[in-house]
Amino acid sequence: MLFAPLTLRSLTIPNRVWMAPMCQYSAATDGPDTGAPDDWHFAHLAARAVGGAGLILTEATAVSPEGRISPADLGLWNDRQQAAFGRITGFLSRHGAVPGIQLAHAGRKASADRPWRGGAPLGTGEGGWPTVAPSPVPFAGGYPVPEELSADGIRGVVADFAAAAERALRAGFQVVEIHGAHGYLIGEFLSPHSNHRTDAYGGPFENRIRFALEVVDAVRAVWPDELPIFFRISATDWLPDGQGWTVDDTVRLAKELLARGVDLLDVSSGGNASGVRIATGPGYQVPFAARVRAETGWTVAAVGQITDPHQAESILTSGQADAVLLGRELLRDPYWPRRAARALDVPPRRPEQYLRAN
């Protein structure tokens, strides 16, 4: 089943081994190519297409300059970025992989340094910028207090997501994923841990999901009916009941997203609360995806320490998910899908140039 195609709307993805979005923090940080993918991104993504991944999702790509996690993040708010992505999507498509993009706004976790430099927040004198959030609540100690988004500011971010989706289509992407996970802006609105508003975007569940639904509606309005939209969610903040977003909330939101034309829920967890201890292990997030699928009948993808071909196959055949997203394992081995095919006695897909490697 891992190598069976999956059709969403009119798009058929050739297998269910997909590459999860993983930030590379390697884009230009100044000049006309700020935020545009370069040779590193081309080589990084192209290798996974040659390796046999059925769908390749780019890293979190900011819909505006202030939406970047770091100054070195990718963006899709101008023509140069759009053109640079076109080179990548063309290669992925020619070599059998579906090109997808994750659109994001980092909210209060924006304006941070690269992880290998410590990942600390950057001041304006260090190449950083003021951050925004649903409420003036910093992510953690040492983080600045973000500016609370006004109603006009919210409308502006929604418009940025729609504009980036239009650019993504022109750049050749066939899947767009809205990033609502890991404590970035959409996830900040969802959770009472980070959303302390008292207006129409805060308080009860119906208000806290309003921003997410407005983004989805705006993207669906400009994205072709024949192409799918994904939504990445953190199924839980891993906080005690009543203090944050929960799996129950995720199931409720999933039903709302399905009604608005989202085709797949990409189920992750965490990232919105600092200092939280998470008991990780092989497939530790799979039960969240399984519950959404069981209670909604919706198409879901599982992610999180999926590393073994037989483990991945079991997740699908047991009905816990419809696809698996691999992250670190594909960093370690770009050819994991081909190795998995051999382990499962499936003929691997490989470029003609590599046929002699049988």
Side-chain angles (χ1 to χ4, degrees), residues 14 42 46 49-50 53-54 56 85-99 171-172 174 349-353:
F42 181 91
V50 172
I56 295 176
F85 274 118
R87 176 186 177 220
I88 293 172
T89 60
F91 184 93
L92 301 185
S93 296
R94 287 193 300 274
H95 291 276
V98 171
Q174 294 177 287
R349 187 185 88 232
R350 54 169 56 93
E352 293 175 347
Q353 295 92 331

Side-chain angles (χ1 to χ4, degrees), residues 113-127:
D113 208 346
R114 293 174 170 91
W116 51 84
R117 294 182 180 176
L122 295 172
T124 54
E126 304 170 294

Side-chain angles (χ1 to χ4, degrees), residues 252-278:
R252 290 180 68 187
L253 177 61
K255 295 173 182 177
E256 295 285 345
L257 295 172
L258 179 60
R260 281 177 154 78
V262 174
D263 301 281
L264 179 141
L265 195 67
D266 172 0
V267 186
S268 187
S269 72
N272 193 43
S274 65
V276 175
R277 291 183 177 272
I278 301 174

Side-chain angles (χ1 to χ4, degrees), residues 282-344:
Y284 72 101
Q285 296 176 146
V286 173
F288 302 141
R291 181 172 169 192
V292 172
R293 191 175 191 270
E295 296 191 22
T296 67
W298 199 16
T299 306
V300 301
V303 63
Q305 293 196 26
I306 299 171
T307 61
D308 178 80
H310 296 282
Q311 172 202 20
E313 177 74 3
S314 177
I315 290 168
L316 302 184
T317 57
S318 62
Q320 296 179 87
D322 301 278
V324 293
L325 287 153
L326 274 64
R328 291 175 177 86
E329 191 65 14
L330 277 178
L331 294 183
R332 290 185 281 263
D333 181 4
Y335 300 102
W336 189 95
R338 288 164 53 183
R339 181 164 57 82
R342 289 193 296 272
L344 297 171

Side-chain angles (χ1 to χ4, degrees), residues 47-73:
R48 277 74 196 173
V50 172
L55 168 69
I56 295 176
L57 287 165
T58 66
E59 64 194 76
T61 301
V63 299
S64 63
E66 60 274 12
R68 293 171 293 169
I69 302 168
S70 83
D73 278 20

Side-chain angles (χ1 to χ4, degrees), residues 19-23 55-63 69 73-76 85 99-105 161 164-165 168 173 175-182 184 230-233 266 268 325:
M19 180 175 171
M22 291 176 285
C23 288
L55 168 69
I56 295 176
L57 287 165
T58 66
E59 64 194 76
T61 301
V63 299
I69 302 168
D73 278 20
L74 294 182
L76 191 49
F85 274 118
I101 188 168
Q102 186 186 72
L103 298 180
H105 191 299
F161 270 93
F173 288 102
V175 171
V176 63
E177 177 171 272
I178 297 167
H179 197 353
H182 301 160
Y184 299 124
F230 294 3
F231 190 97
R232 174 164 265 200
I233 187 74
D266 172 0
S268 187
L325 287 153

